[in-house]
């Protein structure tokens, strides 16, 4: 059976040494996150992930969810108990304000726990993950009554949440939405329509499911300006908070998918179901965007999680499997053959994944920290700067971490040869599960368009200028440190590529917006590479400081070697991305559709 | 249901215009391959693929193979009828000499048909594919009696073939082999051992299965020098050619795999089974290599096939799915939204796959043609040159076409968004099926090591020098043609990268072989890119000639645009590969195994 261990020590190092969590006590909730508390939270979260969630992952894939003729959906064996442990441990509300039953701790800690849980069991972690997204939307846009009535139960995990956007004819382009809401005159609406691809839309883990549904109020404007957000519980809630009658929403079928078999992907039929408006009428997309930004960061973390678990299992196999001899002479002469980890091509693969994972973890936590600053800082300027950086980096974390996370899972699978292709060994599941993260919450091409069309030009490019400024500041400081040269110099080069690409886009996208579109994905990856390279620089600086303390020297040496591998072999890809962007849209767009 | 159309016209163009098949009548069997015959063969093959093989592909994935308690294995519904059509149409023996019941046509035609069949139904095509590999090994290494007894039945398809190499503890490193062969004194051997991952090891498509099995004759030297090849029929064959008693070989179980569910991957138990030596004792690997080279080229074609079918379905979806508006203004203002093919990021993806497929098809056929020259030319020098080029390009075709073929299937799947993840649409199957091609017949890392450790240094680098010489000759000629500049110039740059990489390896691999190992995969891809770029140059020249004739101008324009896309956006990756190679092995190999 595949194995998994949450990367607790690496996460602690990033939080404490790289991001300096302890210097952030100006942020509300951070003073409570003392070093002891942070470590205890991570170690407990790891226990949940490693001992409760991971062991039911493979059976979850094999058994999958089942829809019964009466519309009920049952989750795989062991999922209910594991979910109860998740909810019962208070994990759902880790960073939810205490007034709603949460613990008010930093969101960055919550994201660290999500990373652990995703690596352990993606399909299962989606149930609480979606619930957290729904909680976030309600906390920002819900009425006081909605918050009081629904959020505590969701924080407990007694009720779960979903988001309902997609319809058969309308995925990315929500303006085409048809689900309609008819006011009933008593403050409620009758919701009617069909939603598809609804993750966790129906299941047996919770007593109630709080669906957040976008729909068009009768007579609302066409397009995205006529979309409203509604709260539609599976079971209606009585005045006293107890459960009442079943609402008019049912699961029509579940999809047979490539992966995440343990999570029910539902067709949801709304047949005059009772719903309540969340936030203002016709402003539903804004409310949904809150949920989507949370969700996009979380999905990026899913990419990382699958990359990590696949890596761990590839390493275990590479140390164990005896095959061939090292090119430089036998390393285990007493055995029939050397373990395959001696082979440079195996090493290259493992180093590549590892070097990505460690930087990606830092990037995810760095981005989550911007979210904390945005929501918890006193200072307006500080909040705005964090908002800028988080907005800029959200599509990058989502797009790049899931693209690479999937590619890494594939590479890790390759290390097992034929065994990687056989389901028994678990690698195929990591690949199949990782695949969804590139698609949902806005396919990665959409992330690239969000980056280039919205985030980059916003406020005259303020976010990108701030990001480049932060890197330049770091490089200036690091420039005086000879030991940092193997990190700082490649980052300087890569940042130059990013600047050139940004300039080219500014000059050429105006004349022809297709020039931006044709380069969008390359630009997203270019920015992702620079961000990861920047993280490696910060990691290297922190590792050098720790190494100088003279303890655990091998650990810090390994960090620095891994970082140099990234700078030498992964980061130079920025040049290729720049070449592609500068190629423009001519050959991309030249053919008539009929020529395809 | 997914759709598929064999790329007949493109294949005809490559064979006739790019490779000049009609100028090769000095090769035996080529004179018979007149333009009419070639076109008729391809159109008939396409009919088989499109109308017989493709329609049962999805059900094959869904139903899979089943092993019954008595050891029998049944293939999915429809497979037997489709296989009978394949065999009955004479396709198995298309390029087998007429004396064994074949048609003696060029192997390059056979490979073209395999391309069609793989795109239509990979799992099914493997049954005849493995049979063709076994036929090839028997024709080269079998005794006259073995050839006469077994090959005609295999050409008919009444009997099928397999290759049995892998054992539980021994995949790549065949020296660890334990299956043993004990001489019985009557010319036969008793074969005992367990083989795993045996594709088509047991099934219900043919009356008999001819297993080619490597084993160690009792008392043979340890390692690879003590390996012999045996022919072990599932059912023993009587003197008169009729079927006799069941042999001591059984299928112990079948694997549950990520894909190719329609092909049975078997654990084969040999329990004193009767076998006969093929070729010389202790020279089994040599005999097996014949089969493996054929098989590796065929597996490269599988990568291309999945890339092609995935592309076709992504195109169909992109033309049909309405979502959003073009960045440059509505293209279908009468509809609710534009078809997504108007979006540059969708275009970029489709162009990328298409530009790969068209060049990969040319490369596959070019390599197969080298095989024809090797086996059919009169002139020794011509044969040797073809042998060199085929040897050099076989690992590249296998490794690069399957890596990229899989990646392309993933990109094509992405075009369908959530529908791509749902099995109903078929894209997931293309991805899951394509994945195996990177693994079997020597995992791609092994292909890279074969290239760099064996093919490149062989005969003082003669093959690479010949390949570079051929490109330089082409470039010199093309240099005088201004219209060829958008193709010739990028190829010149890429070839420079290849030369630098080759030089670097020569200078640094001797001092430390890990420098070669750490760069092997990048080198394989670098050579692959140059080879594909060279193919695009040849395609472009042929397309320009056709365009000048003034007919089908749009078709030839589309070719040239697609080629320029490749030169601008795909080929520049050579520079990144070179950077990685030159990084050497230091950071790759620095960590102790315990540090992972």
């Amino acid at each position: 059976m595949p194995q998994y261990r949450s990367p607790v020590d690496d996460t602690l190092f990033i939080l404490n040494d790289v991001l300096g969590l302890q210097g952030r006590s100006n942020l509300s909730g951070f003073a409570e996150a003392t070093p002891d508390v942070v470590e205890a939270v991570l170690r407990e979260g790891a226990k949940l992930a490693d001992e409760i969630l991971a062991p039911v992952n493979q059976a979850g894939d094999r058994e999958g969810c089942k829809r019964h003729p009466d519309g009920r959906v049952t989750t795989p064996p062991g999922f209910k108990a594991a979910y109860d442990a998740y909810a019962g441990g208070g994990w759902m509300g880790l960073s939810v304000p205490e007034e709603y039953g949460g613990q008010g701790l930093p969101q960055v800690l919550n994201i660290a726990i999500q990373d652990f849980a995703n690596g352990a069991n993606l399909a299962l972690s989606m149930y609480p993950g979606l619930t957290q997204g729904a909680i976030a939307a309600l906390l920002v846009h819900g009425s006081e009554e909605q918050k009081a009535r629904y959020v505590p139960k969701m924080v407990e995990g007694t009720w779960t949440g979903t988001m309902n956007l997609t319809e058969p004819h309308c995925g990315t382009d929500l303006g085409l939405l048809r689900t309609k809401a008819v006011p009933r005159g008593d403050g409620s609406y009758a919701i009617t329509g069909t939603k598809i691809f609804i993750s966790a839309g129906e299941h047996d883990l919770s007593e109630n499911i709080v669906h957040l549904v976008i729909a068009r109020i009768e007579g609302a404007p066409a397009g995205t300006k006529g979309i409203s957000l509604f709260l539609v519980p599976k079971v209606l809630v009585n005045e006293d908070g107890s459960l009442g009658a079943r609402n008019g929403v049912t699961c029509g079928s579940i999809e047979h998918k490539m992966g995440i078999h343990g999570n029910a992907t539902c067709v949801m039929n709304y047949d005059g179901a009772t719903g309540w408006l969340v936030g203002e009428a016709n402003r539903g997309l804004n409310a949904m965007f809150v949920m989507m930004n949370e969700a996009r960061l979380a999905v990026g973390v899913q990419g990382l999680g699958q990359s990590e678990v696949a890596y761990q299992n590839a390493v275990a196999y590479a140390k164990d499997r005896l095959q061939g001899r090292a090119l430089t002479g036998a390393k285990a002469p007493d055995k029939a053959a050397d373990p395959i980890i001696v082979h440079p091509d195996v090493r290259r693969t493992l180093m590549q994944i590892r070097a990505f994972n460690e930087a990606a973890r830092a990037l995810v936590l760095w981005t989550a920290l911007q979210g904390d600053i945005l929501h918890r800082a006193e200072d307006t300027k500080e909040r705005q700067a964090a908002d800028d950086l988080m907005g800029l980096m959200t599509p990058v974390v989502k797009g790049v971490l899931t693209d690479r996370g999937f590619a890494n899972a594939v590479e890790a699978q390759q290390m097992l040869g034929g065994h990687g292709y056989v389901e028994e060994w678990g690698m195929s599941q990591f690949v199949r599960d990782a695949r969804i993260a590139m698609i949902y919450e806005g396919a990665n091409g959409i992330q690239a368009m969000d980056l280039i069309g919205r985030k980059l030009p916003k406020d005259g490019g303020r976010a990108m200028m701030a990001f480049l400024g932060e890197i330049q500041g770091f490089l200036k400081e690091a420039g005086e440190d000879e030991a940092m040269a193997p990190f700082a110099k490649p980052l300087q080069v890569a940042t130059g590529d990013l600047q050139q690409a940004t300039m080219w886009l500014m000059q050429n996208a105006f004349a022809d917006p297709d020039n931006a579109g044709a380069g969008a994905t390359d630009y997203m990856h270019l920015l992702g590479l620079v961000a990861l390279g920047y993280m490696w620089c910060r990691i290297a600086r922190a590792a050098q400081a720790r190494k100088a303390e003279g303890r655990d020297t091998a650990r810090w040496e390994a960090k620095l070697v891994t970082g140099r591998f990234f700078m030498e072999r992964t980061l130079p890809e920025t040049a290729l991305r720049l070449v592609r962007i500068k190629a423009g849209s001519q050959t991309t767009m030249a053919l008539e559709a009929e020529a395809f």
Side-chain angles (χ1 to χ4, degrees), chain A:
Chain A
M1 194 163 88
Q3 49 182 268
Y4 178 67
R5 279 180 67 87
S6 297
V8 176
D9 290 337
D10 200 44
T11 303
L12 278 172
F13 165 68
I14 294 168
L15 291 177
N16 294 327
D17 294 77
V18 180
L19 300 182
L21 205 66
Q22 299 309 324
R24 300 285 186 168
S25 51
N26 64 316
L27 304 175
S28 72
F30 275 59
E32 289 73 30
T34 60
D36 286 358
V37 167
V38 169
E39 181 159 354
V41 164
L42 293 187
R43 296 218 182 274
E44 275 304 306
K47 227 187 238 179
L48 172 79
D50 303 359
E51 296 171 19
I52 310 277
L53 306 183
V56 298
N57 188 43
Q58 195 171 24
D61 180 62
R62 201 173 47 233
E63 307 287 337
C65 290
K66 289 189 178 58
R67 182 184 173 279
H68 302 270
D70 60 1
R72 279 182 313 119
V73 172
T74 47
T75 53
F79 266 43
K80 172 69 176 148
Y83 173 79
D84 286 347
Y86 198 118
W91 297 105
M92 203 88 83
L94 193 67
S95 60
V96 170
E98 289 171 85
E99 57 179 307
Y100 296 105
Q103 300 180 53
L105 285 167
Q107 167 71 355
V108 68
L109 276 187
N110 185 43
I111 287 289
I113 298 297
Q114 286 192 12
D115 175 26
F116 297 178
N118 282 327
N121 191 329
L122 174 55
L124 197 150
S125 301
M126 288 170 66
Y127 296 99
L130 285 157
T131 306
Q132 288 190 333
I135 291 171
L138 285 176
L139 286 180
V140 176
H141 293 281
S143 66
E144 287 310 315
E145 197 218 329
Q146 286 168 342
K147 285 193 272 190
R149 182 179 288 253
Y150 294 98
V151 173
K153 285 285 191 185
M154 294 166 80
V155 169
E156 270 176 17
T158 320
W159 300 350
T160 53
T162 70
M163 54 201 278
N164 285 236
L165 284 79
T166 306
E167 300 180 3
H169 55 284
C170 127
T172 298
D173 188 353
L174 291 173
L176 302 175
L177 191 83
R178 287 184 200 149
T179 296
K180 68 171 183 208
V182 182
R184 284 209 174 118
D186 63 354
S188 76
Y189 290 78
I191 312 288
T192 302
T194 300
K195 296 286 180 178
I196 64 167
F197 298 155
I198 307 308
S199 296
E202 178 60 41
H203 57 79
D204 56 0
L205 301 182
S206 61
E207 295 171 9
N208 199 1
I209 302 176
V210 180
H211 300 293
L212 294 185
V213 183
I214 55 172
R216 201 181 293 283
I217 297 173
E218 234 179 8
T224 55
K225 291 190 175 123
I227 294 177
S228 305
L229 179 65
F230 294 90
L231 185 160
V232 187
K234 171 181 162 182
V235 184
L236 295 168
V237 179
N238 296 327
E239 278 305 309
D240 64 357
S242 63
L243 293 180
R246 188 65 205 269
N247 201 354
V249 47
T250 50
C251 167
S253 62
I254 62 175
E255 305 290 351
H256 299 278
K257 314 184 296 289
M258 186 176 180
I260 51 165
H261 295 159
N263 199 283
T265 305
C266 303
V267 172
M268 298 302 294
N269 296 320
Y270 291 84
D271 187 12
T274 302
W276 290 271
L277 190 64
V278 177
E280 288 175 54
N282 299 337
R283 301 270 296 160
L285 272 199
N286 279 46
M288 219 62 195
F289 271 131
V290 172
M291 212 160 146
M292 287 202 292
N293 276 332
E294 297 270 339
R296 284 174 177 182
L297 181 57
V299 172
V301 179
Q302 295 176 357
L304 169 59
Q306 296 308 296
S307 181
E308 176 66 32
V309 68
Y311 167 78
Q312 290 185 16
N313 284 280
V315 165
Y317 186 86
K319 286 179 174 177
D320 185 59
R321 173 78 170 173
L322 305 178
Q323 209 79 179
R325 290 293 182 191
L327 295 175
T328 50
K331 294 289 179 287
D334 53 318
K335 294 186 177 154
D338 288 339
I340 62 170
I341 200 167
V342 305
H343 301 307
D345 194 59
V346 171
R347 283 286 180 126
R348 175 194 61 78
T349 305
L350 297 179
M351 288 297 293
Q352 194 174 307
I353 305 175
R354 174 193 180 113
F356 169 85
N357 288 354
E358 295 182 11
R361 189 165 299 118
L363 182 60
V364 153
L365 296 174
W366 179 85
T367 307
L369 182 60
Q370 306 306 321
D372 276 322
I373 297 170
L374 162 63
H375 293 298
R376 298 171 190 236
E378 294 281 315
D379 184 66
T380 320
K381 271 201 170 161
E382 201 184 347
R383 285 212 305 271
Q384 185 207 72
D387 194 17
D388 284 353
L389 288 177
M390 192 179 179
L392 184 71
M393 218 47 83
T394 296
V396 174
V397 167
K398 199 286 184 181
V400 176
L401 268 57
T402 61
D403 273 0
R404 297 247 171 190
F406 171 76
N408 287 342
V410 171
E411 294 255 22
Q413 180 188 30
Q414 187 74 11
M415 294 303 93
L416 278 77
H419 298 100
Y421 199 65
V422 171
E423 292 296 346
E424 184 188 347
W425 287 75
M427 303 303 285
S428 163
Q429 184 188 354
F430 303 142
V431 169
R432 290 183 290 100
D433 284 0
R435 184 66 186 88
I436 189 58
M438 297 159 71
I439 298 173
Y440 61 18
E441 299 302 328
N444 286 355
I446 301 301
Q447 302 300 326
M449 291 307 294
D450 175 50
L451 172 63
I452 215 163
R454 205 170 302 151
K455 302 301 176 55
L456 194 60
K458 195 173 166 237
D459 303 311
R462 192 174 66 197
M464 178 55 84
M465 282 189 288
F467 181 66
L468 288 171
E470 182 170 327
I471 291 181
Q472 295 304 355
F474 181 94
L475 287 174
K476 203 171 162 194
E477 208 188 302
E480 291 152 25
D481 180 358
E482 190 52 40
M484 279 297 290
F487 298 91
K489 282 182 183 166
L491 180 61
Q492 185 81 62
V493 173
T495 308
D497 289 340
L498 177 60
Q499 283 168 314
Q500 274 194 61
T502 311
M503 196 73 79
W504 190 92
L505 285 175
M506 280 163 52
Q507 289 163 348
N508 293 279
F510 190 72
D512 179 0
D514 283 342
N515 278 324
T521 289
D522 284 300
Y523 189 83
M524 177 178 77
H525 277 279
L526 171 46
L527 177 51
L529 285 161
V530 170
L532 293 169
Y534 172 49
M535 290 300 129
W536 261 120
C537 282
R538 291 182 60 161
I539 293 169
R541 193 172 55 179
Q544 281 169 351
R546 291 294 294 269
K547 189 181 150 195
E549 293 171 4
R551 283 190 309 275
D552 291 339
T553 320
R555 178 179 171 194
W556 308 119
E557 276 292 355
K559 264 283 179 218
L560 294 165
V561 164
T562 307
R564 283 202 291 120
F565 180 97
F566 185 92
M567 301 321 262
E568 286 173 10
R569 287 181 170 258
T570 304
L571 191 58
E573 193 185 310
T574 55
L576 173 61
R577 299 290 181 175
L578 176 60
V579 165
R580 288 193 190 146
I581 291 163
K582 283 183 166 175
S585 64
Q586 203 271 321
T587 56
T588 304
M589 302 304 290
L591 298 190
E592 297 296 324
E594 298 72 46
F596 284 87

